[in-house]
Structures are given as C-alpha cells and as structure tokens.
Amino acid sequence: MSAPPRRRPSWRLGWMLPAGLALLAGLDAALLLLGLPAPVTTDRLPLVHGMLLVLGFVGTLIALERATALDRWYGFLAPGLLGLAGISLLADPLPLAVGQVLLVVGTAAFTLVYIPLWRRQHDDAVLVQLLAAGLACGGALRWAGGALFDDVLPWLIGFVVLTIAAERVELARITLGPSAGPRLLAHAASIVAALLIGLWHAEAGAVLLGVALAALAIWLVQHDVARRTVRMPGGPRFMAAAVLAGYVWLAVAAGVLMLGGRPVGGAYDAVAHAILLGYTLSMIMAHSTTILPAVLRIPLPYRPALWLPLVLLQLSLVVRLGLGDALQWRPAWQLGGVLGVLALLLFVVTAVTSALLGPPRTPAPASLPRGGPGSRRDRRGAGALNGAVS
C-alpha cells in the first residue's frame, strides 16, 4: 500500500530556522567552553552559550508551539522576537545589549501569549506555564541588567522545569486526578519562593530550590503515565523512556542543590547540564514525534533509530557528571561534553531523515478467496454482528 499523500509544510517552519541556528551556535560554544577546537570561534560565543540554548532554541520552540495553539497572528511575535534575539546575540558587530533587550521583549511577548490561552479554559496547568514564562522574562531582565549567567541560571531552571511539568500534567490528567492543578500550582509556588529567597540569600535559595525540585520530581514520577507506557513497544516505549530519564536528571540536580547549596565548579556544571540537557532535551526528544508534526505539519514518525541519540545523550551525562564533575577528571568532562554535542546533532539528523522519509509504508493486504473473510457476504455478517454488539 502506498503512503498517504504528504501535506505541504507549514509556513511556521520559517520560525524554526533561527532556533536551529541558535542550537548549532550553542553547540559550537559548548566546544569552546570545553577547551576544544570548534568550527566557529568568536569572543562572544562562550558568553552567550546558555542564553542561546535556553531562550534562543528551547524558548523559541515552546513559544512557537504555544502560538500555534493560540492561532492568532500576534502570538507569533514571541517566537519571532526570540529567534531574532538569538541571531542578534551571534552578530558580533551588534552590541550585546541589542540581543539582551530583544530577549526581554521576546520573553515578555511570550508571557502575554499565555493570557488569552488561560482565559479560554482557566486551566491551572496553563497558569503555571504563564508563571514559567514570567520567570524566563525575569531571567532575561536580570541578564540585561548586568547579572552573571550563574545568577540567572536558577530562573531559567524554573522556566524549563515548570513549563515541561505543566505539559506533562496536561497529558496525565486521568492518572493525576482532579487535584492535579492545585498540586502543580503549589509546586510552582515553592519554586518561585525559592528563587525569590535566592535573591536575598543565595545559599538558602539554592537549597530550597533543590527541595522544591525534588518534591516536584517525586510527585510527577508517581503519577506520570510513562510508568505504564514504558512497557509498550515502539514509539510509546521510546517516549516513556525519554520522559523517565528526564525525571532522573531532574532528581540528580535537586540532590546536588540540596546537599551543596549554591553550586560552584563541578556542582554548577552538574546542575546546569542535568536540567538543561538531561531533563529538557530528553523531554524534547520524547515529544518530538507528536509536537513538531502538529506545529509544522511535517510527519515525524517514530523509528528505532531515534533511540541512538537518546541513549548517547544519557551516556554523555553519565560520563560528564559522574566521572568529570564528581571526580574532577577533566578528560571525562571533555569527553562527556563532546558526546552530548554529538547526541544532539545525531538527533537533528535522525529527525530530519525520518521526516524526509515520511511514514513507513504499510504492506498491501493479501487477496482473499471468494466468499472468505472480507467478502461481501462476510462484511454483511460483520455489520450485523457489530450492530448487535453496539
């Protein structure tokens, strides 16, 4: 049987190009920060590495998905501004302040997108996502005001953790029950409280943030449908495994914060990459076959090859955090970083290849003998049986 005709890609694909550029530039900057050769070398790249990946790439993706859900022209200003901000951060001739201001404006527009979305259904999960976007805007404001990225990182952690957690709650309402919304709001409030305390006392804020993240991770793992779907074959198992791996790295980061307070050195590297790579990128891989086709109108069917970048990402983090950060072994830290870059590049290549190949062809049904199953007489009988059962 031939594959169904493909729909033309959506014009929204153009919004993905700046996000893709931010991802590639961020990975290039990662190599520079590891002290390794990189295809492009500029003085600014290492400075904007974190913002490129979190707001330039992940922020643009989420803003585009939310703008698609809103389905109003003004909603697409947010991903457009965030994409433009990422490009501005890369352009050395432009002052860094230009990209910083565009990030503030873009995250503010992103936050405003959630207001009409919340008014549609007054859903607690959407309200938490609105709060998360506000944290992204607060982080962009702090960075534009001169704060170091180390001080902005907790706000970006709040943004990605709460946004993804709210989306998982939307997918697991049956298992979470009617109290899911208020519980999620309570977890979000504890994270925000920890961030505000961190403005006054960094050590106490870091420990409380670790406690809040650990409580959220435990609650999500207990109720997430991924615990059951991981036993299913094919795409459901892949998605569930990626989701559960993300929760593991969220718990790792929470443990480091609770035990060490404000992270520095290897602890800082472990927290940043456990959440921004282990948690966030695992979740993006998990939902890539469902969200991207809905936004871009490009089929991205599950194929077993998608396991390769997912497994490689987990291996890279084990090497980087377990051997590099924990044991202060620089070669392992560099090797883990390189494996992480390769995992993301491999995921992009695999996803693009799967999209170009399209849905797998299904074999044509074998011809049936006359009067056998599938014949007109048999279909009349099946119709009568179905009518009796219904």
Side-chain angles (χ1 to χ4, degrees):
M1 181 181 297
S2 61
R6 298 190 188 186
R7 293 185 299 174
R8 295 181 61 184
S10 169
W11 55 269
R12 292 187 287 269
L13 182 62
W15 266 251
M16 288 287 294
L17 298 180
L21 180 60
L23 172 62
L24 294 177
L27 296 179
D28 186 279
L31 294 176
L32 295 175
L33 289 169
L34 289 168
L36 299 172
V40 179
T41 302
T42 68
D43 293 335
R44 183 183 292 182
L45 264 179
L47 178 64
V48 300
H49 162 71
M51 284 300 188
L52 280 174
L53 290 178
V54 179
L55 295 183
F57 172 60
V58 177
T60 301
L61 286 183
I62 298 174
L64 181 59
E65 190 269 333
R66 293 289 82 186
T68 302
L70 179 62
D71 197 21
R72 295 290 187 271
W73 66 267
Y74 52 83
F76 293 95
L77 292 175
L81 287 167
L82 288 173
L84 183 60
I87 294 175
S88 300
L89 291 177
L90 295 175
D92 273 354
L94 289 177
L96 179 61
V98 173
Q100 292 176 320
V101 170
L102 284 173
L103 277 183
V104 173
V105 177
T107 51
F110 180 30
T111 305
L112 293 176
V113 166
Y114 281 107
I115 295 177
L117 287 173
W118 182 75
R119 286 176 176 171
R120 285 182 180 177
Q121 50 187 342
H122 294 276
D123 185 68
D124 289 334
V126 177
L127 187 58
V128 169
Q129 292 177 52
L130 189 157
L131 179 61
L135 294 179
C137 187
L141 274 170
R142 295 198 68 198
W143 193 52
L148 298 176
F149 185 79
D150 299 24
D151 298 319
V152 175
L153 177 64
W155 293 69
L156 300 183
I157 286 175
F159 160 58
V160 295
V161 168
L162 290 180
T163 299
I164 295 171
E167 291 186 352
R168 291 305 301 172
V169 167
E170 288 179 335
L171 296 173
R173 292 187 184 279
I174 295 178
T175 56
L176 286 169
S179 64
R183 287 287 299 274
L184 179 63
L185 276 174
H187 285 290
S190 66
I191 290 175
V192 173
L195 294 175
L196 294 177
I197 291 173
L199 295 176
W200 167 68
H201 195 290
E203 289 291 332
V207 173
L208 292 175
L209 179 61
V211 172
L213 294 178
L216 177 62
I218 292 171
W219 178 64
L220 288 172
V221 169
Q222 285 178 335
H223 300 284
D224 201 301
V225 69
R227 292 179 59 188
R228 291 198 293 271
T229 56
V230 75
R231 302 184 182 95
M232 301 172 64
R237 174 175 293 172
F238 168 78
M239 177 181 289
V243 167
L244 295 175
Y247 289 149
V248 168
W249 293 116
L250 178 60
V252 168
V256 174
L257 288 171
M258 286 190 294
L259 295 176
R262 183 181 183 181
V264 294
Y268 172 86
D269 187 81
V271 170
H273 291 89
I275 290 183
L276 302 182
L277 280 183
Y279 175 77
T280 305
L281 271 300
S282 293
M283 292 293 186
I284 289 177
M285 290 183 182
H287 298 94
S288 59
T289 57
T290 55
I291 292 180
L292 290 179
V295 172
L296 303 179
R297 297 181 187 171
I298 299 176
L300 181 55
Y302 162 78
R303 283 184 167 86
L306 287 170
W307 281 96
L308 294 177
L310 177 63
V311 172
L312 186 58
L313 176 64
Q314 313 311 314
L315 176 62
S316 73
L317 290 165
V318 169
V319 172
R320 180 169 186 159
L321 277 62
L323 299 177
D325 291 330
L327 302 180
Q328 296 294 300
W329 188 18
R330 183 177 175 82
W333 175 70
Q334 291 179 317
L335 175 61
V338 171
L339 291 177
V341 171
L342 292 177
L344 296 182
L345 292 176
L346 180 59
F347 172 70
V348 172
V349 171
T350 305
V352 170
T353 302
S354 182
L356 291 175
L357 292 176
R361 293 174 179 266
T362 55
S367 58
L368 297 172
R370 198 174 192 178
S375 66
R376 181 180 301 173
R377 186 191 321 168
D378 185 69
R379 287 195 298 271
R380 286 200 302 269
L385 179 60
N386 290 337
V389 171
S390 60

